[in-house]
Amino acid sequence: VQLQASGGGLVQPGGSLRLSCAAPGVTLGYYDIGWFRQAPGKEREGVSCSGGSDGSKYYADSVKGRFTISRDNAKSTVYLQMNSLKPEDTAVYYCAADYGICHNSAIIPSDYEYWGQGTQVTVSS
């Protein structure tokens, strides 16, 4: 499974960005998709995940109420809408896929097998 993350950029605090995770030619509905981020000098952390079979959605406490995950299975794309961005959201964002692992807000990088390249999000004035 090849994943392509895009949509990062530079945004001012309080602004919004929408990240996309595309999987061309893949039946994305079979997979759970997770979004992760890694800031310089920090470990990669889970941000959100979307269940492929049951439509479940979970978020880390740090982004709850500000970020929204959604998917368009017909386009084989999962989105992460990020609103009210803060400087501490600055990181490289990654998407990842695997089967049957999006069960709660404990979104753990090592649980996911398939990874896309990252996209940089910088929140700064």
Side-chain angles (χ1 to χ4, degrees), residues 32-45:
D32 292 358
I33 302 295
W35 280 101
F36 300 83
R37 66 186 181 187
Q38 188 166 18
K42 295 188 176 181
E43 292 187 355
R44 192 169 297 187
E45 63 173 350

Side-chain angles (χ1 to χ4, degrees), residues 13 73 94-95 122:
N73 287 335
Y94 301 86
C95 60
T122 303

Side-chain angles (χ1 to χ4, degrees), residues 28-103:
L28 209 58
Y30 292 156
Y31 295 90
D32 292 358
I33 302 295
W35 280 101
F36 300 83
R37 66 186 181 187
Q38 188 166 18
K42 295 188 176 181
E43 292 187 355
R44 192 169 297 187
E45 63 173 350
V47 173
S48 180
C49 70
S50 167
S53 60
D54 61 4
S56 57
K57 300 177 183 181
Y58 297 97
Y59 301 92
D61 287 344
S62 58
V63 306
K64 201 172 294 183
R66 300 188 298 121
F67 290 11
T68 302
I69 192 169
S70 62
R71 61 167 70 210
D72 186 337
N73 287 335
K75 294 183 178 180
S76 295
T77 302
V78 175
Y79 304 98
L80 185 69
Q81 178 67 44
M82 306 187 297
N83 298 330
S84 302
L85 283 161
K86 304 175 181 180
E88 52 263 44
D89 294 317
T90 295
V92 178
Y93 284 71
Y94 301 86
C95 60
D98 213 314
Y99 297 104
I101 52 174
C102 177
H103 299 304

